[in-house]
Amino acid sequence: MSEAPTALPPVKRRNAELVMTLVAIGITLFAMIEAGLTRNGEMPPSLFVYGILFGGLSVLAHFFIRFFAPWSDPLLLPLATLLNGLGLAMLWRLFEATGDTSGGSAMTQLILTAASMVVFAVIVYFLKEPRTLQRYPYIMAISAVLLLLLPLIPGLGMTINGARQWVNLGFTSLQPSEFAKIALVIFLAGYMVTKRDVLSLASKEVKIGPVKVLDLPRARDMAPMAVMWGFCIIVLVILMNDLGTSLLLFSTFLAMIYVATQRSSWIIIGLTAFFGACTALYPFVPHFRVRMITWLDAFRPDVYCTDEFLNDPESFCQTLGNSQQLVQGLFALAQGGLTGAGMGGGKPGNVPEVQNDFIFSAFGEELGLAGVMVMLMALALLAERGMRIALASKELFIKMFASGISFLLAFQTFVVIGGVTRVIPMTGATIPFVAKGGSALLSSWIMLALLMRMSNNARKPAPQAIQDEGATQVIQR
Amino acid sequence: MNKPIRRLAVFSMALFGVLLLNITWIQGFQADALREHEFNSRQFVESLTQARGAILVGSEEIAFSEPVGGDSDQYQREYENGQLYAPVTGAFRAGSATGIEKAENSLLDGSDDRLAVSNFLDTITGKEKKGANVELTVNAEAQQAAMDGFNELGQNGAAVALDPSTGAVLASYSNPTYDPNDVASVTETSEAAENWTSLEGSEQQPLLNRGLNERYPPGSTFKIVTASAALEDGHTPESTQEAPASLDLGAPMFNASRQPCNGGSPDTLAHSIEISCNTSMANWAIDLGAEKMTEQADAYGFNQGSFDIPLPVTESLYPSESDNNILGRSGIGQGNVEATPLQMAMVAAGVANDGDVMKPYLVESVKDSDLSEIKSASPEVFSTAVSAKTAEDLTQMMILVTEGAEGSGLGGAIDGMQVAGKTGTAETSSGPTHNWFISFAPADDPQVAVAVVVEHGGGSGGTLAAPIAKRIMEAVINE
């Protein structure tokens, strides 16, 4: 199965990649220097370590790509380096620069970055043909489900900030949903490529009078949608309170079924079922309600918890939850304004738990609108380059796979930053490459490795016949 | 499969578009509003380390910042005559502020956009950034007179004085008061916070500026509004209404004297105002009807929502009454009528200013640290309450209150000039009466209009409130 690809010019631009990567490393180190000078009046004492480890590994990654995936998109690595570096610099500013590393540290993040880059290299090196993953859709499906269910096992699972999405491994904790989503994309790509015809063709027309309104899929073809829906709603929303992952997985599912079938009826059915379930559950799932109220009425005094309600044990914020984090995040963004306070010049600590989802508000405060626009554009570019890879690939599985991962990156960004900036309710997710935490970082680099490999294969010029005599050809590989 | 992928790519781009637009909205357009949001303590915390501008009355700095000294780079806010001006200045504390300190915070701390150029120049020339100075319209003598008056009386209450021709607030005092120095210390922070908590919890509500933010039944002072409606409706000061000893308005409503106002005959409007007759004024309200009464009250500023001077002022209420019993009571400022002292001062000022109520304001000008003016007040007409002719008639009637043979407010009279006034003794559901006096002087060339309320004074407006009003008027006129 294949389809005419949208050709990309067969250029490597590896030197451009090196220069851009060096710029990204430079931005990271300058951000740390500025934070150190502003906060403590001295250069970061460990700047050298960061320069060598982070800078050195990024450059090594570049040379690795130069040898093992020479045709891959030259923008991917610099964008990832920039985002990862900004995240590192901000964590250094939040923890090391303030002398308080109880909530996390940039050094841990640096080590995790290094480990993630190694995994990145391993995948790029060994997974020469990502289409081989197509062979194991059901293994992928089962592992995705197992990974998602892991936190529910008593003793192993942990609840952090209300969401049961962590697994305690003793020495460290993992967020298995970060990996489950990749497995799910692989499964969906494989499954939908095989079931594509049935999903897109078999249908029932819904007519009002003579006018065709919708092509409805047959009830029996709804099974995958029903399973996905049931899983997202029952397990993720009700049992685990993990709205972010639920929203992310279901949207990715819808995006991929749309890519496979090109039928908008799937999206309509899916959205109706999802939001219908949310509406129906609204009165019964309290944490769901709390999130809606803290979003819509964030500035209500009893939701925000002003002094007058702080001492009232009956008030909304004392019984259910408050909107302090969201509102303080908005204040931080407002404080940053257009140009920001400069690294180290703001007070991001005013936002509770700023090192997690709300790290975006710290960027907004210290780098300003200009800085977060750069960050958003880098993320957008990353997702769009991924879509470009999907367009340029020949095989359907790779098209599905690449577009699925790209959409995952884009939507994950939307869910978390949209939550922080009050576009949608806060659900809890991580900004790709930027967020603190090993699971998030590792899964981001795995996705990058997959995109890198697929882009290399898509952009590599077609094999040339080196001789043209008779039926047998020797192909240059 | 390329078409849906392209669409998905466009959709992803649109998601980022939404984020970019929204963040531009927050950080670009909404930023100022969020920085000054009432929940946002950053605006006060961060400015502890800045030289904040001063608040001035005349040429005296009543609130100013001094470096703490030593190792600290913080500034201590100091209040001169703190208790006297606290109802206006409010207090600037770690994490929060009240009064003018809050209302003009962005100018005082220098973060206002209008200061951007001078801040920029200061940055270039290496000068320390300093906030702008806010000059109040308050007259120190008048403010002191109000405080002295209440201190001698020893009652809670409020006084507001306006310049009738401009709307400038000449005095705004609320009793009891507090000393902002007790709660503003940046060195003794826990003690300051404790003091604040006890002020907040006090039943006497010292933090409340009663002149602007507390509503009282205005009682008989509201009869000026009723009389305005009658005169505007074509009646004259000689027009009459029945004035028996009591009226049956659901429950009987008596005159203060328990006697008919004019020996049983119908009483003229002028005489009813002079002796503060209840029954005739209630009849006037019923006769004029709810619509005309509401229209007149609205014209003086009732029911117009809260507004900022720039301190927030609570809305005064005159609900339109369909029941004649309640309508009658509303004509004498009872029933559901509730007014802030500032509102009643606006009524007096409107009559004094030929019927035009000026918009009250408390900030005369704001000057940058290099004394260049950033903004200055420009008087605006708030509303035209009555015609000049009506205003003249009302003035003559109000002069009788302080000078007439049977005047109810003789305590407000000043030697050597005519004072126009009106007393009020408002019944409350929760204790002794509130005692009011509103007035302006000199009657032929008004320089000051005053409203004084003594909370639960239990006496009469003429004896308790009028002397305070007199002191304030004298302070302004004799200057």
Side-chain angles (χ1 to χ4, degrees):
Chain A
M1 280 189 277
S2 71
E3 193 171 322
T6 312
L8 285 171
V11 286
K12 295 181 178 171
R13 306 293 307 273
R14 291 270 79 84
N15 290 332
E17 178 185 78
L18 177 60
V19 172
M20 288 190 287
T21 307
L22 288 175
V23 170
I25 297 166
I27 290 174
T28 304
L29 297 181
F30 273 118
M32 285 180 64
I33 292 170
E34 191 192 355
L37 289 178
T38 310
R39 285 211 53 89
N40 307 328
E42 55 175 26
M43 298 280 276
S46 47
L47 185 69
F48 192 66
V49 179
Y50 287 84
I52 291 293
L53 251 178
F54 179 69
L57 276 171
S58 303
V59 171
L60 263 183
H62 157 76
F63 281 108
F64 180 81
I65 292 168
R66 196 177 267 265
F67 285 107
F68 296 106
W71 294 98
S72 61
D73 191 324
L75 265 179
L76 296 178
L77 180 69
L79 289 173
T81 309
L82 176 66
L83 291 168
N84 198 331
L86 283 176
L88 261 182
M90 184 51 85
L91 288 174
W92 187 85
R93 179 254 173 274
L94 288 175
F95 296 116
E96 269 85 346
T98 55
D100 174 17
T101 50
S102 53
S105 76
M107 192 47 86
T108 317
Q109 183 82 348
L110 180 65
I111 294 162
L112 292 169
T113 304
S116 303
M117 283 183 174
V118 172
V119 173
F120 164 83
V122 168
I123 293 178
V124 173
Y125 183 79
F126 286 102
L127 191 68
K128 284 281 188 302
E129 288 295 342
R131 66 162 170 255
T132 49
L133 293 171
Q134 191 180 1
R135 291 176 202 154
Y136 322 108
Y138 293 100
I139 293 182
M140 287 297 168
I142 291 166
S143 46
V145 170
L146 286 181
L147 282 171
L148 282 173
L149 291 179
L150 222 45
L152 283 181
I153 300 170
L156 196 60
M158 290 196 301
T159 304
I160 296 182
N161 297 333
R164 194 171 177 93
Q165 52 176 342
W166 298 84
V167 166
N168 188 1
L169 295 181
F171 60 98
T172 182
S173 57
L174 271 182
Q175 209 176 349
S177 63
E178 292 284 348
F179 306 102
K181 65 195 185 193
I182 302 177
L184 187 86
V185 168
I186 299 174
F187 158 68
L188 288 174
Y191 176 82
M192 283 180 189
V193 165
T194 33
K195 294 281 168 27
R196 183 174 174 228
D197 292 338
V198 123
L199 289 173
S200 57
L201 297 177
S203 68
K204 230 175 13 198
E205 279 189 2
V206 177
K207 286 184 173 179
I208 298 176
V211 188
K212 189 183 109 178
V213 185
L214 209 60
D215 263 339
L216 271 188
R218 296 177 307 179
R220 72 182 88 155
D221 297 329
M222 298 272 211
M225 166 90 78
V227 169
M228 193 67 205
W229 173 85
F231 195 81
C232 283
I233 293 291
I234 295 169
V235 178
L236 292 175
V237 175
I238 300 182
L239 295 179
M240 296 163 80
N241 189 14
D242 192 355
L243 291 170
T245 307
S246 172
L247 193 61
L248 190 60
L249 294 186
F250 199 72
S251 321
T252 307
F253 171 77
L254 288 183
M256 291 186 71
I257 201 168
Y258 176 71
V259 170
T261 64
Q262 211 180 332
R263 282 173 66 171
S264 46
S265 57
W266 283 113
I267 298 181
I268 296 169
I269 296 167
L271 289 180
T272 314
F274 192 75
F275 288 110
C278 289
T279 317
L281 285 176
Y282 190 74
F284 306 108
V285 186
H287 57 247
F288 203 58
R289 255 194 333 270
V290 171
R291 287 189 189 227
M292 287 302 283
I293 292 171
T294 49
W295 173 52
L296 291 172
D297 296 331
F299 285 94
R300 218 169 74 189
D302 64 321
V303 175
Y304 174 78
C305 227
T306 50
D307 292 348
E308 138 189 34
F309 292 97
L310 203 59
N311 302 319
D312 176 5
E314 303 277 291
S315 64
F316 182 91
C317 59
Q318 289 298 310
T319 48
L320 296 164
N322 63 55
S323 61
Q324 300 237 341
Q325 198 184 22
L326 180 59
V327 171
Q328 287 296 343
L330 292 176
F331 288 159
L333 291 172
Q335 198 67 38
L338 299 182
T339 51
M343 286 296 281
K347 287 190 162 50
N350 281 11
V351 185
E353 294 276 318
V354 69
Q355 71 275 17
N356 294 323
D357 299 1
F358 272 75
I359 199 161
F360 183 77
S361 69
F363 282 105
E365 179 173 1
E366 303 216 318
L367 301 182
L369 180 60
V372 293
M373 277 203 162
V374 169
M375 179 181 270
L376 279 170
M377 290 311 289
L379 286 159
L381 213 48
L382 198 59
E384 296 299 317
R385 293 309 287 188
M387 294 289 182
R388 196 80 185 82
I389 295 166
L391 287 174
S393 299
K394 300 178 191 66
E395 293 155 72
L396 290 186
F397 173 75
I398 301 295
K399 278 178 175 300
M400 295 283 303
F401 193 5
S403 55
I405 287 201
S406 310
F407 183 76
L408 199 59
L409 284 171
F411 202 76
Q412 193 175 333
T413 309
F414 180 75
V415 166
V416 55
I417 298 181
V420 173
T421 57
R422 210 161 165 237
V423 179
I424 55 169
M426 264 197 296
T427 50
T430 51
I431 310 178
F433 295 101
V434 178
K436 165 175 154 291
S439 312
L441 207 51
L442 184 54
S443 80
S444 299
W445 280 96
I446 292 175
M447 288 193 272
L448 190 79
L450 294 167
L451 285 178
M452 191 75 79
R453 179 45 77 189
M454 290 188 271
S455 108
N456 178 66
N457 295 3
R459 289 160 55 103
K460 189 163 62 183
Q464 299 277 319
I466 51 172
Q467 60 198 90
D468 187 14
E469 37 191 56
T472 311
Q473 292 183 351
V474 179
I475 304 290
Q476 176 192 354
R477 204 177 152 87
Chain B
M1 204 181 266
N2 284 347
K3 200 163 136 196
I5 293 178
R6 284 216 170 85
R7 286 193 182 151
L8 194 62
V10 171
F11 177 70
S12 308
M13 207 67 233
L15 290 181
F16 282 101
V18 169
L19 292 181
L20 285 169
L21 283 176
N22 183 56
I23 194 74
T24 307
W25 169 246
I26 293 175
Q27 295 199 275
F29 295 94
Q30 243 192 335
D32 282 339
L34 283 170
R35 273 180 225 155
E36 289 166 24
H37 193 277
E38 56 175 323
F39 295 170
N40 194 344
S41 59
R42 284 166 181 261
Q43 53 188 330
F44 309 115
V45 174
E46 292 185 355
S47 40
L48 283 181
T49 54
Q50 284 171 13
R52 199 173 161 81
I55 302 176
L56 294 97
V57 164
S59 57
E60 186 197 3
E61 293 191 345
I62 55 168
F64 51 93
S65 289
E66 291 278 319
V68 171
D71 289 340
S72 171
D73 54 356
Q74 291 189 324
Y75 285 83
Q76 173 64 55
R77 197 64 167 164
E78 308 269 5
Y79 294 88
E80 201 67 50
N81 268 330
Q83 298 209 345
L84 178 60
Y85 294 111
V88 176
T89 57
F92 176 76
R93 307 177 297 121
S96 145
T98 54
I100 286 288
E101 295 276 26
K102 179 178 190 180
E104 296 289 3
N105 182 54
S106 66
L107 286 163
L108 287 166
D109 75 5
S111 66
D112 193 277
D113 286 344
R114 283 168 283 186
L115 295 169
V117 174
S118 78
N119 285 344
F120 180 67
L121 290 176
D122 285 353
T123 311
I124 291 182
T125 54
K127 270 200 294 186
E128 196 176 11
K129 189 175 136 190
K130 198 165 186 301
N133 295 335
V134 173
E135 272 184 45
L136 303 181
T137 54
V138 171
N139 176 317
E141 306 292 328
Q143 184 81 2
Q144 186 67 49
M147 184 178 183
D148 293 346
F150 273 103
N151 280 349
E152 276 174 29
L153 193 61
Q155 299 269 13
N156 291 354
V160 176
L162 299 174
D163 181 337
S165 57
T166 60
V169 177
L170 300 176
S172 174
Y173 180 74
S174 175
N175 208 41
T177 179
Y178 65 101
D179 189 348
N181 291 312
D182 293 343
V183 296
S185 175
V186 295
T187 44
E188 312 281 334
T189 48
S190 61
E191 194 189 327
E194 247 169 59
N195 289 341
W196 180 259
T197 314
S198 75
L199 288 175
E200 262 186 326
S202 166
E203 278 181 18
Q204 302 290 314
Q205 294 185 283
L207 297 178
L208 174 71
N209 185 338
R210 293 165 159 78
L212 313 182
N213 302 116
E214 182 72 314
R215 287 191 295 233
Y216 302 93
S220 300
T221 56
F222 192 79
K223 288 173 183 167
I224 299 300
V225 180
T226 310
S228 302
L231 293 170
E232 289 286 282
D233 197 40
H235 300 279
T236 68
E238 302 312 316
S239 303
T240 57
Q241 285 282 352
E242 290 294 332
S246 78
L247 271 188
D248 183 20
L249 297 175
M253 187 196 76
F254 296 96
N255 287 325
S257 59
R258 305 261 163 167
Q259 302 292 324
C261 297
N262 194 21
S265 321
D267 194 20
T268 62
L269 188 56
H271 188 252
S272 297
I273 293 290
E274 178 184 348
I275 67 162
S276 200
C277 180
N278 285 347
T279 50
S280 62
M281 293 312 291
N283 278 329
W284 274 112
I286 296 168
D287 207 42
L288 290 162
E291 195 185 328
K292 283 179 186 148
M293 285 297 293
T294 313
E295 220 169 81
Q296 186 60 59
D298 288 359
Y300 275 112
F302 284 81
N303 305 327
Q304 303 300 302
S306 49
F307 55 98
D308 294 336
I309 66 166
L311 296 185
V313 177
T314 307
E315 181 183 25
S316 297
L317 303 175
Y318 182 85
S320 182
E321 305 291 0
S322 52
D323 181 339
N324 271 353
N325 291 341
I326 307 178
L327 179 62
R329 290 179 195 277
S330 80
I332 62 162
Q334 301 279 171
N336 298 320
V337 190
E338 289 186 42
T340 59
L342 177 73
Q343 174 61 63
M344 293 319 292
M346 286 163 71
V347 170
V351 175
N353 194 34
D354 296 334
D356 283 342
V357 180
M358 303 302 288
K359 191 177 184 319
Y361 62 91
L362 196 45
V363 174
E364 185 62 50
S365 68
V366 178
K367 293 203 174 93
D368 202 350
S369 48
D370 62 3
L371 297 183
S372 62
E373 197 162 82
I374 294 160
K375 71 169 183 183
S376 66
S378 54
E380 291 172 49
V381 176
F382 182 85
S383 66
T384 298
V386 291
S387 67
K389 171 77 179 70
T390 303
E392 178 52 33
D393 287 344
L394 288 168
T395 307
Q396 293 308 322
M397 285 152 58
M398 288 169 73
I399 291 173
L400 292 175
V401 172
T402 63
E403 294 188 353
E406 302 170 76
S408 53
L410 303 178
I414 300 175
D415 285 344
M417 72 180 66
Q418 289 189 306
V419 176
K422 182 71 198 81
T423 55
T425 303
E427 311 223 336
T428 65
S429 52
S430 59
T433 53
H434 296 317
N435 304 117
W436 284 85
F437 195 70
I438 67 172
S439 63
F440 58 88
D444 52 352
D445 175 27
Q447 295 173 26
V448 55
V450 188
V452 175
V453 63
V454 177
E455 217 172 80
H456 297 304
S460 77
T463 53
L464 295 183
I468 301 177
K470 175 186 173 182
R471 281 181 108 124
I472 299 172
M473 291 188 290
E474 281 178 331
V476 174
I477 294 164
N478 293 340
E479 209 180 25

